[in-house]
Amino acid sequence: MISIDGLRKSYGEQVVLDGLDLQVDRGERVAVLGLNGAGKTTLLQCLLGLIGFEGSVTVDGQQAGPAGKEARRRIGYVPQRPPVFDMTVSAFLHLFSDLRDAPVEPATERMAEFGLPPDEVGEKQMSALSGGMLQKTLLALALGAEVPVLLLDEPTASLDPSSRREFVRVLEGVDEDRTILFATHRLEDVESLANRVILIHGGGVVFDGTLKDLWERSGVGGELWVQVPASRQEAAVALLRDRGSVRGAAEDGGGGIRVELAPGGAMDALGALRDRGVEVEDFRALSPALDEVMDRLLSARSVGAEKRDTG
Ligand code: ADP
């Protein structure tokens, strides 16, 4: 559905994308990760043809680029910070549907599904919408156009936790054959929405796989909090400390045990307690932040590269 070969984009002397290759099949949900400035937004803008570039980019078989109207017609886009529009919601939906030569009804139907019925919000000014309402309006427009590809640029970054959950829920319900590529820094978004993760660094794709692979490759473990009967707490800590999957375990002073895990260690740690007949009364798995996983993977890579350089 998306085919990128040798994509190169520079701003003056600065090479942002340096021969990036990426193939995305229909229906894939791809999270695009990268440090700030890695080129995530630039990649999305190239696909949309908002900026010129070198290399070959096609969307649904159509050449993308500033002249790529056919490619653009196949894409719905939700930018990170939507521009402020000085018009009502209804005027906005009509204007952008007209610009795409698409009927407005599918977008207004989506609005109703998202809990924003046009007869209630249609006459509101765009500038009066909350962040969550604005993102949903943009998504309704993008989905209403029946396009096969959705590009989302950190769509939940500016939302509060409850709007974020709702926006993610809406996206989870998007038809399976639509292809979604979204830039994000949020682990929750990746867990809920992506079946594939790519990491952009140094102008190219340096990781392409599942979230689990990314996590394991980074070497960052998670944390586990468990509660066992008080009489078994000491034994449980000793037992956990003996496991290869556990990097550290200690009583937290409040009746629980904090366990620092190697990647993927949670099941092993819980299984070990169960196998020794220690009842787990309660537990919580605490995931590391995505930025930490990304940083660790990238620094492991650069150490690897230095080692290779010096033989
Ligand atoms: P990301 O989305 O991963 O944070 P961006 O794609 O926004 O990264 O930016 C990649 C790099 O390109 C950054 O160093 C940024 O400063 C630069 N850049 C982006 N847009 C422009 C522009 N219009 N003019 C000059 N430099 C730009």
Side-chain angles (χ1 to χ4, degrees), residues 245-292:
S245 64
V246 171
R247 290 176 175 162
E251 295 178 26
D252 72 355
I257 303 171
R258 268 196 115 76
V259 189
E260 223 186 297
L261 299 163
M267 293 323 284
D268 178 76
L270 291 169
L273 292 172
R274 185 200 53 211
D275 292 348
R276 298 288 192 86
V278 180
E279 186 199 348
V280 174
E281 294 174 331
D282 194 9
F283 75 93
R284 276 195 300 279
L286 313 168
S287 301
L290 199 49
D291 281 344
E292 187 193 342

Side-chain angles (χ1 to χ4, degrees), residues 215-246:
W215 205 330
E216 283 175 4
R217 281 261 297 278
S218 76
V220 177
E223 262 187 13
L224 189 66
W225 176 89
V226 288
Q227 192 168 26
V228 302
S231 60
R232 307 298 304 276
Q233 211 173 28
E234 213 172 303
V237 168
L239 184 145
L240 286 166
R241 283 183 180 156
D242 253 5
R243 305 297 301 183
S245 64
V246 171

Side-chain angles (χ1 to χ4, degrees), residues 136-278:
K136 281 196 241 169
T137 303
L138 294 170
L139 185 64
L141 188 68
L143 289 169
E146 296 297 333
V147 290
V149 175
L150 281 177
L151 302 180
L152 313 170
D153 197 352
E154 302 201 27
T156 64
S158 59
L159 304 184
D160 61 55
S162 83
S163 311
R164 189 177 290 145
R165 273 193 296 277
E166 214 182 319
F167 189 77
V168 167
R169 193 181 49 75
V170 165
L171 280 173
E172 281 172 330
V174 170
D175 342 328
E176 278 174 19
D177 64 343
R178 300 228 199 178
T179 306
I180 306 182
L181 200 71
F182 66 104
T184 188
H185 281 271
R186 304 189 50 80
L187 181 66
E188 299 90 318
D189 295 357
V190 179
E191 282 176 328
S192 332
L193 298 175
N195 51 26
R196 178 176 171 194
V197 175
I198 64 167
L199 173 58
I200 299 183
H201 188 70
V205 175
V206 297
F207 172 87
D208 186 345
T210 62
L211 179 61
K212 187 163 169 283
D213 298 338
L214 178 80
W215 205 330
E216 283 175 4
R217 281 261 297 278
S218 76
V220 177
E223 262 187 13
L224 189 66
W225 176 89
V226 288
Q227 192 168 26
V228 302
S231 60
R232 307 298 304 276
Q233 211 173 28
E234 213 172 303
V237 168
L239 184 145
L240 286 166
R241 283 183 180 156
D242 253 5
R243 305 297 301 183
S245 64
V246 171
R247 290 176 175 162
E251 295 178 26
D252 72 355
I257 303 171
R258 268 196 115 76
V259 189
E260 223 186 297
L261 299 163
M267 293 323 284
D268 178 76
L270 291 169
L273 292 172
R274 185 200 53 211
D275 292 348
R276 298 288 192 86
V278 180

Side-chain angles (χ1 to χ4, degrees), residues 11 14 16 34-43 153:
Y11 286 108
Q14 187 194 3
V16 178
L35 305 177
N36 284 328
K40 302 180 291 297
T41 298
T42 303
L43 171 64
D153 197 352

